Amino acid sequence: MQTQKRIAVVGSGLVGSLLAIYLRKAGHIVHIYDRSPDIRQIQFSGRSINLAMSNRGWKALDNVNVGDAVREIAIPMDKRAIHLVDKLNFQNYGQEGECIYSISRGSLNRKMIDLAEAAGAEFFFEQKIWDVTLKEATLHIGETERGEWEEKKYDIVFGADGAFSRIRHRMQRQSMFNYSQEFLNIGYKELNIPANPDGSHKLDKNSFHIWPRGEYMLIALPNLDGSFTCTLFMPFEGENSFESLKDRKDVEAFFEKNFPDSIDVIPKLAEDFFENPTSTLVTMKCFPWTYKDKIALIGDACHAIVPFYGQGMNAGFEDISVLYEMIEKYGDDWVTIFSEYQKSRKPNADAIAELSYRNFLEMSSKTADDKFLLQKKIEKWFSDKHPEKWIPLYSRVTFSDRPYAEALAIGDYQNAIMEEVLKLENVEAIWNSEEVESKILDLLNKEATVQN
Amino acid sequence: MQTQKRIAVVGSGLVGSLLAIYLRKAGHIVHIYDRSPDIRQIQFSGRSINLAMSNRGWKALDNVNVGDAVREIAIPMDKRAIHLVDKLNFQNYGQEGECIYSISRGSLNRKMIDLAEAAGAEFFFEQKIWDVTLKEATLHIGETERGEWEEKKYDIVFGADGAFSRIRHRMQRQSMFNYSQEFLNIGYKELNIPANPDGSHKLDKNSFHIWPRGEYMLIALPNLDGSFTCTLFMPFEGENSFESLKDRKDVEAFFEKNFPDSIDVIPKLAEDFFENPTSTLVTMKCFPWTYKDKIALIGDACHAIVPFYGQGMNAGFEDISVLYEMIEKYGDDWVTIFSEYQKSRKPNADAIAELSYRNFLEMSSKTADDKFLLQKKIEKWFSDKHPEKWIPLYSRVTFSDRPYAEALAIGDYQNAIMEEVLKLENVEAIWNSEEVESKILDLLNKEATVQN
């Protein structure tokens, strides 16, 4: 057990709540602040994408025994259902039994706050933090940015306050703070597929549904109540864009032409489209993440990524796992805990940012490409035969807890090999032949020799 | 003549002052605000690098007839004086008569403010701008960030307030604003070579002096009073670093060992070293630079770069030239003036940022490398023979007003050619032979064919 500290966590989102549970486990006094009302008492919706919990997330939850409580609100998805204009394809995510889990953000957040309260963390909602004094770990709280502020002093402050973190905002104004925020030209909008009258799902419940159309795409993830949360990703401007869909007629014509099989299942298409906001997508990177033994950023507050690998929450939860490892290793030495935490996490946060950025192309275009599907099929087949020699990139990211940075590097290396394999004559016919197998083995050996 | 506007320029530095002169020329009411006291009434020094005015800067000055006033305080430098540990080399910057000009930042800033006042701009010093309302072009001014503020409304506000711009700070908090700041691990410190008792210079007056030592370097630029402003660039941490030089003895031993010929000319070495601050170097990029027809960023406020190409001020002055072109072209249509201005400048600002970042390596390492000096010699010789076929990169950046983005692209292409040329057998001996000439011509033709 560590020496007890008074710790403030700014942000009652998923990462803030789980962090509170870990800090309670380590014996600390934990106060969680949020500028918004208690999410358990309000309607939450209209601008969210369903979460896809995978291995890193479960590991962090199970380590404090809250995994099972979350499993109750999770729906396993073992495959992509790829809706082409004229047919439906399926692509398994991993080995038999390997799934990602669809969870609505609102449900999970409510559950996590309940669990953190049960663990003894105290929540303070509708408390707006405008600034933090880094050296003193002191929060400045008030109704408005220019009005009266109250000061709350702690031993340690965690900024779990998301991509537009106020805690980071203060750190950013220090010298030698590296920072970048880059918005995609693609926005997103939530739509809804309601349940059937009998409460069943209108589409296959255990699939991640995707309508890949190149520059834009539609996805749908299942909810417990039989509905699906859909998300349309599309450029803000240009030929097929949010800007180009000006009225009800435009939207309906666009969906009829491009997502014909969605028409019957999204009854309130135009209403949803014009009521729900169009949200932006940002990649944010920064360094350092910590200030002495006083302040640490965690989750989206220090590494906001685009959602195309489904790893945003999982990466934030893994931050907590690594932080806790450091707590167990370095005891009361918070300077070392924080510096080892950021040193361990920063390269992995950069790697998952890159992988997530690249994955838009995979989801929106490559899933509709026969060559890409063939590559995935060959990789899976070879991986089944030689599991010690080949873990596909998606599996390494999603079903393992190997570092993201390693996944990125090995993924690039595997891709170079597969490019050669796909050049083999008549590869479509002989994809599971001895010839292909020995070609891959050769290339792996050759590369290993070069590397040694 | 345009419709007269009330325009605020935030920042009375070099770019703010010159911009004011241009806006006066276009017939506007111009108020310039600065948080600091009037630089003409205070001692300015201790943390500056001398400026190197080149073609783009002169062009912007001459266009409003203030070039000659500035020439009075400028010293031409036609070459690098490269101080190796055991010898002194010279390297001309360009053709006969092509020079860059050393000017002290303080002197130039005082002069520019005088000139802007003479042009009818009004200055308000010690006025701290804390915020701006973008839609209303309204400045918020006050003693402290949390105290009472006064509002000043204008038609247009320019943010010429440097790398840590408050105007940009507000824009940054808008959605879809891309932003990055990245600090180098190298800092810098000002040192001084005083004049001889008779007022003459202790080193060659018409050279840019450089002591290239790989990870660190010393430079010296001449001043009118016979002194040189020296700047030591060095990592913050590590073997040869600011951190490693802890006391007088360390500093003196370091200079004796590494810059032996500087010892006699920097009499107050240790005093300067410990009195002057160690400053940081940042590359800052952002987009957009403008907000409707209300707000525009200019100079370092939208593209802060590291100083290794001597182009920071020149790039800022060129922003003004381009802005003025747009003013002449689009009259009272400030929405188009601003959008065309940022569209024209952004790629060039990115290019000079990249070139400046790369040039640290050129200055600190390559100038001490025989192969690099040979490459430059060959390029100069070939360029003299075929001026229409080859303008060396440095000349294109420094002595032309071709876009920086073009300079970056053509520079990379020329470098690829020179890599081939330097592989020729015995190239050191035959560097100015017909064989080398026709090799370069061949490579240029081959590349041209591929590109067509």
Side-chain angles (χ1 to χ4, degrees):
Chain A
M1 187 64 90
Q2 295 182 290
T3 306
Q4 190 179 58
K5 301 276 183 190
R6 291 185 72 249
I7 300 181
V9 175
V10 180
S12 72
L14 306 173
V15 168
S17 307
L18 182 60
L19 173 62
I21 295 171
Y22 272 82
L23 294 173
R24 285 297 301 150
K25 184 179 175 187
H28 303 292
I29 295 166
V30 182
H31 292 176
I32 306 184
Y33 290 88
D34 204 297
R35 55 198 305 112
S36 301
D38 187 342
I39 193 176
R40 294 169 300 185
Q41 288 157 25
I42 56 167
Q43 178 75 16
F44 174 82
S45 172
R47 45 167 301 167
S48 174
I49 308 167
N50 264 29
L51 301 163
M53 184 83 71
S54 57
N55 182 75
R56 295 165 208 268
W58 290 121
K59 187 181 160 195
L61 291 168
D62 285 330
N63 199 29
V64 282
N65 304 315
V66 298
D68 288 342
V70 175
R71 280 184 190 89
E72 291 170 9
I73 56 168
I75 298 176
M77 303 179 290
D78 60 355
K79 58 192 172 302
R80 286 175 176 155
I82 302 168
H83 299 247
L84 303 181
V85 176
D86 53 354
K87 64 176 172 179
L88 184 62
N89 285 336
F90 292 94
Q91 181 200 5
N92 286 331
Y93 274 125
Q95 306 292 334
E96 186 73 33
E98 285 182 330
C99 303
I100 59 176
Y101 293 79
S102 173
I103 309 182
S104 100
R105 180 180 291 270
S107 310
L108 180 59
N109 207 157
R110 287 184 206 104
K111 172 85 68 176
M112 295 301 300
I113 292 175
D114 283 341
L115 292 164
E117 268 186 354
E122 202 175 344
F123 283 79
F124 300 87
F125 294 103
E126 298 178 73
Q127 298 288 308
K128 293 185 183 132
I129 312 287
W130 296 104
D131 203 355
V132 59
T133 305
L134 302 177
K135 280 181 194 172
E136 311 288 335
T138 296
L139 300 176
H140 301 273
I141 306 175
E143 259 314 296
T144 66
E145 182 161 15
R146 297 273 301 139
E148 286 291 302
W149 290 350
E150 192 188 349
E151 294 190 353
K152 298 271 185 189
K153 172 143 182 44
Y154 287 90
D155 298 320
I156 295 171
V157 168
F158 282 93
D161 48 345
F164 303 99
S165 168
R166 289 301 292 204
I167 306 301
R168 186 191 68 233
H169 193 254
R170 167 54 57 192
M171 292 176 68
Q172 215 169 314
R173 287 165 77 174
Q174 299 210 112
S175 193
M176 300 298 285
F177 189 82
N178 290 334
Y179 179 78
S180 73
Q181 62 184 40
E182 191 164 1
F183 285 83
L184 285 194
N185 291 322
I186 292 162
Y188 70 92
K189 193 183 279 289
E190 184 179 319
L191 300 170
N192 186 263
I193 299 177
N196 287 317
D198 66 356
S200 62
H201 289 80
K202 284 188 193 292
L203 304 175
D204 181 71
K205 174 185 172 179
N206 297 115
S207 291
F208 183 119
H209 294 267
I210 174 166
W211 290 256
R213 297 294 183 269
E215 290 192 329
Y216 55 95
M217 67 172 169
L218 181 69
I219 64 171
L221 285 87
N223 293 315
L224 282 183
D225 65 2
S227 69
F228 284 83
T229 300
C230 300
T231 314
L232 173 66
F233 294 94
M234 191 158 63
F236 290 106
E237 294 168 4
E239 198 192 335
N240 296 306
S241 71
F242 285 109
E243 196 193 47
S244 73
L245 303 180
K246 295 194 195 304
D247 57 31
R248 194 179 180 101
K249 233 173 49 194
D250 291 344
V251 172
E252 287 170 354
F254 180 80
F255 272 70
E256 258 160 48
K257 179 175 167 205
N258 297 299
F259 308 121
D261 65 340
S262 80
I263 289 290
D264 287 344
V265 296
I266 310 183
K268 288 172 52 185
L269 172 61
E271 288 87 333
D272 283 358
F273 191 93
F274 291 107
E275 268 169 33
N276 289 337
T278 307
S279 300
T280 59
L281 296 164
V282 68
T283 299
M284 190 283 302
K285 298 178 183 175
C286 67
F287 201 79
W289 292 3
T290 65
Y291 178 87
K292 299 185 177 169
D293 56 353
K294 296 292 182 211
I295 314 285
L297 302 172
I298 194 158
D300 283 3
C302 45
H303 52 82
I305 61 180
V306 295
F308 307 115
Y309 227 113
Q311 287 293 311
M313 171 192 56
N314 289 288
F317 280 9
E318 194 172 57
D319 289 348
I320 301 172
S321 297
V322 169
L323 178 75
Y324 196 75
E325 269 174 40
M326 301 306 170
I327 286 175
E328 291 193 307
K329 195 161 169 187
Y330 298 109
D332 286 330
D333 179 2
W334 283 91
V335 168
T336 305
I337 290 169
F338 280 176
S339 79
E340 292 298 310
Y341 154 71
Q342 69 178 4
K343 205 162 80 183
S344 165
R345 291 305 287 160
K346 173 62 174 166
N348 292 312
D350 287 347
I352 193 61
E354 173 66 20
L355 287 166
S356 302
Y357 179 80
R358 292 186 192 174
N359 224 41
F360 179 72
L361 205 64
E362 169 156 342
M363 291 179 73
S364 71
S365 299
K366 292 188 189 163
T367 54
D369 174 39
D370 287 340
K371 203 95 184 180
F372 172 80
L373 295 176
L374 176 63
Q375 175 178 336
K376 293 290 147 182
K377 201 163 66 171
I378 296 174
E379 285 190 57
K380 172 147 189 352
W381 163 76
F382 184 82
S383 171
D384 285 346
K385 286 197 120 170
H386 302 279
E388 77 296 350
K389 287 192 197 295
W390 197 284
I391 302 170
L393 174 59
Y394 187 89
S395 295
R396 200 181 293 267
V397 169
T398 308
F399 302 123
S400 91
D401 59 1
R402 299 295 309 162
Y404 288 129
E406 181 185 294
L408 176 62
I410 296 179
D412 284 347
Y413 159 63
Q414 290 176 335
N415 226 22
I417 288 177
M418 289 308 297
E419 260 177 43
E420 292 304 306
V421 170
L422 290 173
K423 284 180 194 157
L424 288 172
E425 203 170 319
N426 204 20
V427 66
E428 291 82 358
I430 60 157
W431 66 270
N432 55 356
S433 66
E434 209 167 302
E435 185 186 342
V436 168
E437 182 179 357
S438 50
K439 176 78 178 178
I440 299 177
L441 288 169
D442 273 3
L443 288 165
L444 281 168
N445 285 334
K446 205 169 118 191
E447 196 64 33
T449 316
V450 172
Q451 289 189 336
N452 289 341
Chain B
M1 186 66 91
Q2 296 182 290
T3 307
Q4 190 178 58
K5 300 276 184 191
R6 291 185 72 250
I7 299 181
V9 175
V10 180
S12 72
L14 306 173
V15 168
S17 307
L18 182 60
L19 173 62
I21 295 172
Y22 272 82
L23 295 173
R24 285 297 302 149
K25 184 180 175 187
H28 302 294
I29 295 165
V30 182
H31 292 174
I32 306 185
Y33 290 88
D34 204 297
R35 55 198 306 113
S36 302
D38 188 342
I39 193 176
R40 294 168 301 185
Q41 288 157 24
I42 55 166
Q43 180 75 16
F44 174 82
S45 171
R47 43 169 301 166
S48 174
I49 308 167
N50 263 31
L51 301 163
M53 184 83 71
S54 57
N55 181 76
R56 294 165 208 268
W58 290 120
K59 188 180 160 196
L61 292 168
D62 286 329
N63 199 30
V64 283
N65 304 314
V66 299
D68 288 342
V70 174
R71 281 184 190 89
E72 291 171 10
I73 56 169
I75 298 176
M77 302 178 289
D78 60 354
K79 59 192 173 302
R80 285 175 176 157
I82 301 168
H83 299 246
L84 303 181
V85 176
D86 53 354
K87 65 177 171 177
L88 183 62
N89 285 336
F90 292 95
Q91 181 200 4
N92 286 332
Y93 274 124
Q95 306 294 333
E96 186 73 33
E98 285 183 330
C99 303
I100 59 176
Y101 292 80
S102 172
I103 309 181
S104 99
R105 180 179 290 270
S107 310
L108 180 59
N109 207 157
R110 286 184 206 106
K111 173 84 70 175
M112 294 301 301
I113 292 175
D114 282 342
L115 292 163
E117 268 186 354
E122 203 175 342
F123 282 79
F124 301 87
F125 294 103
E126 298 178 72
Q127 297 288 308
K128 293 184 183 134
I129 313 286
W130 295 104
D131 203 354
V132 59
T133 305
L134 301 177
K135 281 181 194 173
E136 311 288 336
T138 296
L139 299 177
H140 302 272
I141 307 176
E143 258 316 295
T144 66
E145 183 161 15
R146 298 274 301 140
E148 286 291 302
W149 291 351
E150 191 187 351
E151 294 190 355
K152 299 270 185 190
K153 174 148 180 41
Y154 287 90
D155 298 320
I156 295 171
V157 168
F158 282 94
D161 48 344
F164 303 99
S165 168
R166 290 301 294 204
I167 306 301
R168 186 191 68 232
H169 192 254
R170 167 53 57 192
M171 293 175 69
Q172 215 169 313
R173 288 164 77 173
Q174 300 211 112
S175 193
M176 300 298 286
F177 190 81
N178 290 333
Y179 178 79
S180 73
Q181 61 184 40
E182 191 164 0
F183 285 83
L184 286 193
N185 291 322
I186 292 163
Y188 70 93
K189 192 183 279 290
E190 185 179 318
L191 301 170
N192 186 262
I193 300 177
N196 287 318
D198 66 356
S200 62
H201 288 80
K202 282 189 195 292
L203 303 175
D204 180 71
K205 174 185 171 179
N206 297 114
S207 292
F208 183 120
H209 293 268
I210 175 166
W211 289 257
R213 298 293 182 268
E215 290 191 329
Y216 57 95
M217 68 171 168
L218 181 69
I219 64 171
L221 285 87
N223 293 314
L224 281 183
D225 65 2
S227 69
F228 284 84
T229 300
C230 300
T231 313
L232 174 65
F233 293 95
M234 192 158 63
F236 289 106
E237 294 168 4
E239 197 191 335
N240 296 305
S241 70
F242 285 110
E243 195 193 48
S244 73
L245 303 179
K246 295 193 195 302
D247 57 30
R248 193 178 180 102
K249 232 172 49 194
D250 291 344
V251 172
E252 287 170 354
F254 180 80
F255 273 69
E256 257 160 48
K257 179 175 167 205
N258 297 301
F259 308 120
D261 66 340
S262 79
I263 289 291
D264 288 343
V265 297
I266 310 181
K268 288 172 50 187
L269 172 62
E271 288 87 334
D272 283 358
F273 191 92
F274 291 107
E275 266 169 33
N276 289 337
T278 306
S279 300
T280 58
L281 296 163
V282 68
T283 299
M284 189 284 302
K285 298 178 184 177
C286 67
F287 201 80
W289 293 2
T290 65
Y291 178 86
K292 299 185 176 169
D293 56 353
K294 297 292 182 212
I295 314 285
L297 303 172
I298 194 157
D300 283 2
C302 44
H303 53 81
I305 60 179
V306 295
F308 306 116
Y309 227 113
Q311 286 294 311
M313 171 192 54
N314 289 288
F317 281 10
E318 194 172 59
D319 289 348
I320 302 172
S321 297
V322 170
L323 178 75
Y324 196 75
E325 269 173 40
M326 302 307 170
I327 286 175
E328 290 193 307
K329 196 162 169 189
Y330 299 108
D332 286 329
D333 179 1
W334 283 91
V335 168
T336 305
I337 290 168
F338 280 176
S339 80
E340 291 298 309
Y341 154 71
Q342 68 179 4
K343 205 162 80 183
S344 165
R345 292 305 288 161
K346 173 63 175 166
N348 293 311
D350 287 347
I352 193 61
E354 172 67 19
L355 287 165
S356 301
Y357 179 81
R358 292 186 191 173
N359 223 41
F360 178 72
L361 205 63
E362 168 156 341
M363 292 178 73
S364 71
S365 299
K366 292 188 188 163
T367 56
D369 173 40
D370 288 340
K371 203 95 184 181
F372 172 79
L373 295 176
L374 175 62
Q375 175 177 337
K376 291 291 147 182
K377 201 162 67 172
I378 297 173
E379 285 191 56
K380 173 146 186 356
W381 163 78
F382 184 82
S383 171
D384 285 347
K385 286 195 121 173
H386 303 280
E388 79 294 350
K389 287 191 197 295
W390 196 283
I391 302 170
L393 174 59
Y394 187 89
S395 295
R396 199 181 294 266
V397 169
T398 308
F399 303 123
S400 91
D401 59 1
R402 300 295 308 161
Y404 288 128
E406 181 186 294
L408 175 62
I410 296 179
D412 283 348
Y413 159 61
Q414 289 177 335
N415 226 23
I417 289 178
M418 289 308 297
E419 259 178 43
E420 292 304 307
V421 171
L422 289 174
K423 284 180 194 158
L424 288 173
E425 203 170 317
N426 205 18
V427 66
E428 292 82 357
I430 59 157
W431 67 270
N432 55 357
S433 65
E434 210 167 299
E435 187 186 341
V436 168
E437 183 180 356
S438 50
K439 176 78 179 178
I440 300 177
L441 288 169
D442 274 4
L443 288 165
L444 282 169
N445 284 334
K446 204 168 118 192
E447 196 64 33
T449 316
V450 172
Q451 289 188 335
N452 288 341

